[in-house]
Amino acid sequence: MIITSTPLRISFFGGGTDYPVWYRQYGGSVLSTAINKCCYITCRALPPFFEYHSRISYSKVENVNKNETIQHPSVRACLQYLEIEDGVEIHHVADLPARTGLGTSSAFTVGLLLGLHALKNQMRDKRTLAAEAIHVEQELLREAVGSQDQVSAAYGGFNRINFHPDGSVEVNRIITPPERLEELERHLALYFTGFSRTASEIAQEQLRVTPHKKQELETMLQLVDEAEAILADSGRSLDEFGRLLHEGWQLKRSLTQKITTANIDEIYQAGLSAGALGGKLLGAGGGGFMLFYVPPERRAALRERLKNLLCVPFSFSNRGSHIVVYEPEEVYDRLLAYERSVVYADHS
């Protein structure tokens, strides 16, 4: 049995990183951190004594006779990519809901690939693991997603991630005293808006308008530089970081009308009126989690103002996707799988 733990992430600033067409031509950067909220995947070779060939359990349960008939796209694609035809049992649970802007979909793919490699007694370094997850989502599944979520999930930590036109990815850990990151944590509040959506649907619209938004994306890239400079200089007030978040959100929401909604705008304005200096909707847009930068002395006022929303406590995490349990099980003769199919066919 293999169990993997893969962190979700918060993205603060990014320029062009959501759009492969853009960063493959101009490059892109993102400032993001892994958090202590994770998705967990259990996988094992399924003993050949069940009526079905493979069992996949997530928000629904699939019992299938062939791996290629699995409905979950990421599971089916990962098994195809690793050429796994034997029966498997895969279970997925998470600390937070999917489709909420925290990179849950890519964290799932990264964690599943890590677990399946371990099932084959193979190891993968962080760079290779991220690259394989990007390949599965962008090339095999043809999803309209960028690459930052996969990299954040594989590496963990608080990083600046640079995407170069030649296809290379550079991950640089933010260099700043631990107490400064702890101070930043105390200024951040995460609220679930209650509106979930599929990132790829919104990303399709963003891909359509991207060629007309070069100036905005270049400005968003400059915000990554400025935010990194603020964190690196202990002499600067972190409130500058909060105000920069506000500037970045105004830019992002201008990219397409699908990024925000009237309800999201109302929540954001309520946060500002309660004392937040800035914030943003996480992920592609349309719903999910709203992040606020709020002075600690105004945190209670913000909580009262948004009492109809769920406030989710979190902290930064340095752990990337990793193996929690590695306990290889008995390997059965492949002929048993055939015998099983014959026995159950006779009993049907």
Side-chain angles (χ1 to χ4, degrees):
M1 178 177 293
I2 313 296
I3 301 178
T4 66
S5 174
T6 305
L8 306 183
R9 65 96 185 97
I10 287 177
S11 176
F12 297 103
F13 300 95
T17 57
D18 288 330
Y19 326 111
V21 174
W22 169 273
Y23 64 69
R24 286 171 184 167
Q25 182 174 359
Y26 303 105
S29 295
V30 65
L31 187 72
S32 67
T33 183
I35 61 174
N36 65 338
K37 298 294 182 284
C38 302
C39 78
Y40 307 91
I41 294 177
T42 301
C43 58
R44 67 168 183 159
L46 185 69
F49 310 121
F50 296 86
E51 186 175 0
Y52 41 82
H53 179 69
S54 289
R55 179 180 178 87
I56 316 299
S57 175
Y58 46 109
S59 57
K60 61 183 292 186
V61 176
E62 297 186 54
N63 296 327
V64 301
N65 290 322
K66 295 182 179 179
N67 288 346
E68 54 263 35
T69 63
I70 293 171
Q71 295 180 17
H72 192 293
S74 182
V75 174
R76 186 179 64 252
C78 288
L79 292 174
Q80 173 193 343
Y81 174 70
L82 294 179
E83 300 180 342
I84 295 176
E85 298 180 354
D86 294 335
V88 294
E89 184 170 21
I90 296 170
H91 292 263
H92 169 249
V93 294
D95 290 328
L96 294 174
R99 301 187 301 278
T100 51
L102 296 175
T104 52
S105 178
S106 293
F108 178 94
T109 302
V110 169
L112 178 58
L113 284 171
L114 182 64
L116 292 176
H117 273 299
L119 202 60
K120 299 177 68 174
N121 298 312
Q122 298 172 347
M123 296 181 63
R124 281 297 181 270
D125 60 80
K126 297 178 184 298
R127 182 179 297 275
T128 303
L129 183 60
E132 290 185 345
I134 291 169
H135 173 75
V136 167
E137 295 189 344
Q138 293 183 5
E139 305 300 329
L140 298 186
L141 296 177
R142 298 292 181 182
E143 293 183 348
V145 297
S147 303
Q148 60 164 305
D149 292 349
Q150 303 91 332
V151 176
S152 292
Y155 279 81
F158 201 127
N159 306 302
R160 174 177 178 148
I161 306 171
N162 298 319
F163 300 91
H164 301 293
D166 64 2
S168 62
V169 179
E170 179 184 9
V171 181
N172 296 322
R173 190 61 57 96
I174 294 300
I175 306 301
T176 192
E179 55 270 19
R180 187 157 176 82
L181 289 182
E182 292 171 3
E183 182 184 359
L184 178 60
E185 278 185 0
R186 291 192 293 270
H187 283 77
L188 297 176
L190 190 63
Y191 285 85
F192 183 44
T193 67
F195 313 116
S196 62
R197 82 287 179 273
T198 302
S200 59
E201 296 174 359
I202 298 172
Q204 289 285 359
E205 172 66 11
Q206 293 179 352
L207 287 171
R208 185 183 68 81
V209 304
T210 292
H212 311 289
K213 299 291 184 177
K214 183 177 180 180
Q215 182 177 349
E216 288 87 343
L217 290 171
E218 287 178 342
T219 303
M220 292 170 70
L221 182 57
Q222 293 170 6
L223 295 184
V224 176
D225 296 332
E226 181 62 15
E228 184 179 13
I230 292 170
L231 292 177
D233 186 352
S234 298
R236 298 179 66 173
S237 171
L238 283 177
D239 288 354
E240 295 183 55
F241 190 94
R243 297 187 181 95
L244 206 65
L245 275 176
H246 175 75
E247 183 179 344
W249 170 237
Q250 299 310 308
L251 275 169
K252 182 173 181 177
R253 67 191 301 275
S254 71
L255 294 179
T256 165
Q257 294 180 348
K258 290 190 176 182
I259 286 181
T260 190
T261 66
N263 285 326
I264 295 299
D265 287 342
E266 183 179 346
I267 292 170
Y268 186 72
Q269 290 303 318
L272 295 184
S273 69
L277 299 183
K280 62 173 295 188
L281 189 67
L282 299 177
F289 278 95
M290 180 74 76
L291 177 73
F292 287 104
Y293 178 98
V294 57
E297 64 272 15
R298 299 297 302 168
R299 197 178 189 93
L302 178 66
R303 186 72 197 95
E304 176 62 26
R305 186 69 176 82
L306 301 178
K307 60 184 178 182
N308 60 321
L309 301 180
L310 290 173
C311 182
V312 178
F314 72 94
S315 60
F316 301 152
S317 173
N318 286 324
R319 294 296 300 270
S321 185
H322 60 282
I323 301 291
V324 178
V325 173
Y326 176 69
E327 296 181 353
E329 299 176 273
E330 180 179 355
V331 178
Y332 292 94
D333 191 315
R334 286 176 177 266
L335 287 176
L336 284 174
Y338 171 75
E339 294 175 1
R340 175 206 60 198
S341 64
V342 172
V343 169
Y344 281 111
D346 290 342
H347 292 171
S348 62

